[in-house]
Amino acid sequence: MCDRERGWSEVPLVKTWQLIAGSAVAGLALSAVTVAAAGPWDSGQRKAERDRAASWSGTGGADHAAGGLPRTAPSAPGVLAGLAPRTANAAPAGGGTLAGALAPLLADPALGTVRGASVVDTATGQVLYESGAGEAMTPASTVKIATASAALAALGPEHRIRTTVTPGAGPGEIVLVGGGDPSLTAKKKSPAGSGGSLVALAADTAQALKAAGTDTVTLGYDDSLYTGAVLHPLNDNTNIAPVTALTADEGRPDDSTSGPVARTGDPSKDTARAFAALLRDRGIKVGGEPAKAKAPAGAQPLATTLSTPLAGLVERMLTNSDNDIAEALARQTALAAGQPASFEGAEKAVTEKLASLGLDLTGSRFADGSGLNRADRLSTRHLTALLAKAADPRHPELRPVLTGLPVAGFTGTLRARNTATSPAAGLVRAKTGTLNGVNSLAGTVVDPSGRLLAFAFLASNTPDKAAAEKGLDKLAAAVAATP
């Protein structure tokens, strides 16, 4: 079903796009089919948090009949041991053991010549392990954690981006106006789930035009919401499309929804052409080729279509490491802050929004939203601070940052990593990062004692991608397995 808004009324909000994370805390006894069916809020992490909360209380989802520590509720079988209440200032259990487990793994030559590591308890803020944690390095795609946090803080998880059609400046003219929706699709059924639909927008536009007695139009398109450079400095169009405010299907020529693929060189014009064809299919004659135009100031929309809610965009971006969504969210953050929707405006807006959350960003830089730019800078301490902020009950608007992280062995960019018998499988949720010579991993895990930990590992000058990823996976598995 498409998400759309006719000019005079808005359809109800649909549910946030569901990450296929799964009930990880039930352990590897659950099948991959079960994992694929469950939503992000039913993940292993969330169940473990729920079990932990229940153990702090005399009531809740646990069986207290046997006395002593509560047993896990039948609806949420757990792999974690019973949890004893801890005070916020209690000494971190196993801190020395964690250092003993991580230090030799961090020394792996596969992790290059410059490395950083940070592990913190999200509930108390206690640092459990650090090595080179203050050094700002190229984070690759783990910078998407910052992009997501800034966008959610600026706009809220239910925000939706509009694509509209308005009357043009002259008789019989209409203008397709881009709002920067990265979920916009020209396909009858979007392969990526709910989002803005050119098909629905064309149907509503045709209906409005016919009701006004119009069956012939000229079509303009307005992508002026974004400014500055259209091409990413990387200038590699297999990883990202030109960044415009009017792009359908991420400029992809096929049915893919993630991963490298050759993109269109002019997403705005191609989107307008697709819209013109959809109007013709619905009995509206469209004269000539669509041309760039400016929607008249104050023009009331003939029809509107709405994006996936921001929470769903964040989850999709993090799960698949989607560069196109990342750059769109960075520009939406800029617009919310009154900055130009450009690479430069987004950098300023993201920095200011994250600082407003009370984060120390010394040494950081957000040259883009996707992490493709090697000028980006983050430290592992920055990354664990961002993850801890997303886990903070005082910031529920940031929770999609956690629920969108890929699940080791099951989803997204971690589907084929830390699989099978790895202690991280189904328990580690983390954002990957990869550039030539740069590898990173940052996320969360519930450790054997029940603590929700945030971890980050950055590696530079790595000689081999596959070997570096294995090294990072061993580090994450050690955090998952060490009490």
Side-chain angles (χ1 to χ4, degrees):
M1 180 178 294
C2 54
D3 307 318
R4 60 183 180 180
E5 177 189 61
R6 292 181 170 85
W8 56 89
S9 65
E10 185 172 307
V11 298
L13 296 181
V14 298
K15 292 182 179 179
T16 300
W17 175 78
Q18 295 295 298
L19 166 66
I20 51 172
S23 304
V25 80
L28 296 180
L30 292 182
S31 69
V33 173
T34 302
V35 172
W41 286 96
D42 195 28
S43 66
Q45 173 182 297
R46 299 302 299 159
K47 284 188 175 179
E49 290 173 350
R50 187 169 65 219
D51 289 350
R52 181 169 188 246
S55 75
W56 283 38
S57 167
T59 60
D63 178 5
H64 300 272
L69 291 176
R71 295 197 302 269
T72 305
S75 62
V79 297
L80 303 180
L83 306 178
R86 294 190 304 117
T87 59
N89 59 358
T97 304
L98 186 62
L102 295 182
L105 295 175
L106 197 64
D108 185 349
L111 296 178
T113 59
V114 184
R115 308 152 194 178
S118 175
V119 183
V120 302
D121 184 328
T122 63
T124 66
Q126 289 176 312
V127 176
L128 304 181
Y129 179 78
E130 280 193 344
S131 177
E135 182 169 357
M137 301 165 58
T138 300
S141 278
T142 56
V143 84
K144 291 182 174 77
I145 294 171
T147 303
S149 300
L152 288 165
L155 296 162
E158 294 304 320
H159 177 74
R160 296 171 75 170
I161 304 165
R162 297 166 180 258
T163 304
T164 63
V165 176
T166 70
E173 295 179 1
I174 60 172
V175 182
L176 176 63
V177 184
D181 174 11
S183 69
L184 187 65
T185 180
K187 293 178 171 58
K188 185 175 181 180
K189 182 177 181 181
S190 171
S194 64
S197 170
L198 281 182
V199 177
L201 188 63
D204 288 351
T205 301
Q207 182 179 12
L209 289 171
K210 290 175 182 177
T214 300
D215 63 0
T216 302
V217 297
T218 57
L219 176 65
Y221 61 94
D222 185 348
D223 63 356
S224 63
L225 187 64
Y226 289 178
T227 60
V230 171
L231 292 179
H232 187 280
L234 180 73
N235 200 24
D236 184 347
N237 64 3
T238 65
N239 286 298
I240 187 171
V243 185
T244 78
L246 183 63
T247 300
D249 300 300
E250 298 186 343
R252 296 173 179 271
D254 53 19
D255 286 335
S256 66
T257 59
S258 63
V261 66
R263 313 298 182 87
T264 175
D266 192 344
S268 297
K269 188 160 192 174
D270 284 352
T271 300
R273 285 171 172 160
F275 186 67
L278 289 167
L279 286 176
R280 292 186 184 105
D281 290 344
R282 284 151 183 80
I284 301 297
K285 297 172 185 160
V286 182
E289 274 278 283
K292 278 203 173 187
K294 184 74 173 172
Q300 292 301 306
L302 296 170
T304 299
T305 187
L306 302 175
S307 74
T308 301
L310 186 62
L313 292 174
V314 163
E315 289 181 333
R316 193 185 304 173
M317 172 187 72
L318 294 172
T319 298
N320 297 324
S321 199
D322 192 301
N323 298 314
D324 300 277
I325 295 178
E327 296 303 344
L329 295 189
R331 278 160 178 70
Q332 295 297 317
T333 304
L335 291 168
Q339 296 289 340
S342 61
F343 284 106
E344 296 77 15
E347 177 177 358
K348 185 173 182 180
V350 168
T351 303
E352 291 177 350
K353 180 51 65 174
L354 294 179
S356 75
L357 293 173
L359 295 164
D360 180 2
L361 300 175
T362 303
S364 66
R365 186 183 174 192
F366 307 100
D368 67 0
S370 60
L372 291 171
N373 197 325
R374 290 178 180 272
D376 291 326
R377 290 291 182 272
L378 279 176
S379 68
T380 56
R381 192 176 293 157
H382 290 141
L383 285 164
T384 52
L386 281 163
L387 292 163
K389 188 69 69 173
D392 190 334
R394 293 170 294 183
H395 290 282
E397 75 280 5
L398 301 181
R399 191 51 59 93
V401 172
L402 302 187
T403 60
L405 295 172
V407 180
F410 287 110
T411 63
T413 56
L414 283 185
R415 180 183 295 275
R417 294 173 59 175
N418 266 324
T419 59
T421 59
S422 168
L427 292 178
V428 162
R429 308 182 70 134
K431 181 70 200 74
T432 57
T434 307
L435 294 171
N436 288 335
V438 175
N439 297 90
S440 54
L441 191 67
T444 63
V445 67
V446 177
D447 76 357
S449 63
R451 296 173 298 178
L452 179 65
L453 307 184
F455 65 85
F457 304 110
L458 297 177
S460 287
N461 304 319
T462 55
D464 178 77
K465 170 182 174 289
E469 287 181 350
K470 287 181 181 178
L472 294 173
D473 290 345
K474 288 177 182 178
L475 287 163
V479 177
T482 305

